[in-house]
């Protein structure tokens, strides 16, 4: 299908989604929100891993579209326009990887936080400038960022506008790797390749268990493991492992 603000490419076991509003520095507007919902609908029907990127031109996403934010009112805030699409991305069945080159600010950073894993180039920058605009980071940063980097650093970013460069983001665990821009697509795909060597149902249930609320444990793990113990994929993989050891 056609997208107005995204470039979507199919690959083996994966979909690469590139934010594509270069003149607006990939600012997230209503058209992009609609396009992202369409991608999610496809990935919910036919689960694959998603790589989400802005490309390697020095910008991931400069935030929500300020012109649209300026016109939004109480009902728009309560509708959670960006929050809901970011949460939908978080809840996709298969893992998601944000491949970040350049600035990921405001809503752009929150979009990256919604993904399961993040890798970045050495010129990546993360920040939450919302308070300087008289609003809060209302699309996930207030609870996702403390879990990713710790409460104190998250509060400093949210309350003072402190930005993290790529090295700091790696040191604090926000990203798992920092690479040169030209290596970003290959490294993102290599990470996905490693995931796809594993059992697809095991991937889905592992993600579900990690993201489940605390009260769901350990019952969720017991049920998930019970399902996997009966799967043909588990039998085939364990049999192949034992056959390999016998040789």
């Amino acid at each position: 299908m056609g997208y107005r603000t995204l470039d979507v490419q199919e690959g083996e076991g994966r979909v690469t989604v590139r934010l594509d509003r270069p003149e607006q520095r990939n600012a997230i507007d209503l058209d992009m929100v609609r396009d992202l919902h369409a991608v999610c609908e496809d990935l919910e029907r036919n689960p694959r891993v998603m790589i989400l990127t802005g490309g390697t031109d020095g910008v991931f996403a400069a935030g929500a579209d300020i012109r649209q934010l300026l016109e939004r009112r109480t009902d728009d805030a309560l509708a959670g326009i960006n929050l809901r699409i970011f949460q939908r991305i978080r809840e996709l069945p298969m893992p998601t990887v944000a491949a970040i080159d350049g600035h990921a600010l405001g809503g752009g950073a929150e979009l990256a936080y919604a993904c399961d894993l993040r890798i970045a180039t050495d010129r990546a920058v993360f920040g939450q400038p919302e308070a300087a605009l008289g609003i809060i980071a209302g699309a996930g940063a207030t609870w996702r960022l403390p879990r990713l980097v710790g409460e104190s650093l998250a509060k400093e970013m949210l309350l003072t506008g402190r930005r993290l460069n790529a090295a700091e983001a790696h040191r604090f665990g926000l990203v798992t790797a920092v690479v040169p821009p030209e290596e970003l697509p290959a490294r993102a795909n290599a990470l996905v390749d490693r995931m796809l060597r594993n059992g697809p149902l095991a991937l889905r249930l592992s993600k579900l268990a990690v993201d489940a609320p605390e009260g769901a444990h350990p019952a969720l793990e017991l049920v998930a493991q019970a399902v996997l113990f009966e799967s043909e994929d588990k039998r085939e993989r364990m049999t192949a492992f034992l056959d390999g050891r016998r040789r």
Side-chain angles (χ1 to χ4, degrees):
M1 67 179 292
Y3 299 95
R4 296 183 64 179
T5 66
L6 306 175
D7 178 64
V8 179
Q9 300 293 327
E10 298 280 348
E12 185 176 355
R14 76 206 69 188
V15 172
T16 299
V17 177
R18 182 174 61 83
L19 309 180
D20 191 21
R21 296 187 75 213
E23 295 82 8
Q24 295 78 28
R25 296 179 58 79
N26 290 339
I28 301 166
D29 67 348
L30 286 174
D31 285 336
M32 185 177 287
V33 168
R34 294 187 189 102
D35 283 348
L36 288 169
H37 274 295
V39 169
C40 287
E41 183 178 354
D42 178 45
L43 292 174
E44 290 159 354
R45 287 198 313 264
N46 180 16
R48 288 98 80 208
V49 175
M50 179 174 72
I51 299 172
L52 183 64
T53 186
T56 56
D57 55 358
V59 61
F60 177 72
D65 192 304
I66 302 298
R67 290 183 179 85
Q68 291 188 1
L69 284 182
L70 179 62
E71 300 304 320
R72 290 182 188 174
R73 296 296 183 261
T74 298
D75 288 346
D76 299 306
L78 293 175
I81 295 169
N82 288 2
L83 185 149
R84 292 183 187 279
I85 183 54
F86 296 169
Q87 186 62 22
R88 191 173 185 181
I89 288 169
R90 184 65 176 188
E91 293 173 356
L92 285 172
M94 291 290 277
T96 54
V97 176
I100 302 137
D101 180 40
H103 285 75
L105 303 176
E110 290 176 300
L111 176 57
Y113 306 155
C115 292
D116 296 302
L117 295 172
R118 285 154 297 281
I119 62 174
T121 69
D122 48 19
R123 60 186 178 185
V125 178
F126 297 86
Q128 302 298 152
E130 288 87 351
L133 298 172
I135 59 174
I136 70 167
T142 57
W143 79 88
R144 288 199 178 103
L145 192 56
R147 294 174 186 173
L148 291 168
V149 302
E151 181 179 320
S152 294
L153 179 56
K155 283 184 175 178
E156 184 178 1
M157 293 175 68
L158 292 163
L159 300 177
T160 73
R162 174 180 172 180
R163 296 183 178 187
L164 297 186
N165 62 32
E168 292 171 320
H170 188 245
R171 184 164 76 247
F172 290 114
L174 182 58
V175 302
T176 61
V178 176
V179 302
E182 64 273 13
E183 295 181 15
L184 184 63
R187 287 292 293 271
N189 279 285
L191 182 60
V192 173
D193 289 341
R194 284 161 54 196
M195 292 183 196
L196 293 178
R197 295 189 194 112
N198 300 314
L201 186 56
L203 285 177
R204 292 182 63 170
L205 293 180
S206 294
K207 171 175 170 166
L208 191 66
V210 172
D211 286 344
E214 187 174 342
H217 307 287
L220 188 152
E221 283 82 3
L222 294 174
V223 172
Q225 197 74 300
V227 170
L228 290 166
F229 274 8
E230 295 297 326
S231 70
E232 187 60 32
D233 187 56
K234 168 249 187 179
R235 289 191 197 82
E236 291 176 356
R237 288 172 178 273
M238 289 192 177
T239 299
F241 176 81
L242 292 172
D243 287 346
R245 291 191 64 178
R246 291 189 194 102
R247 295 193 194 99

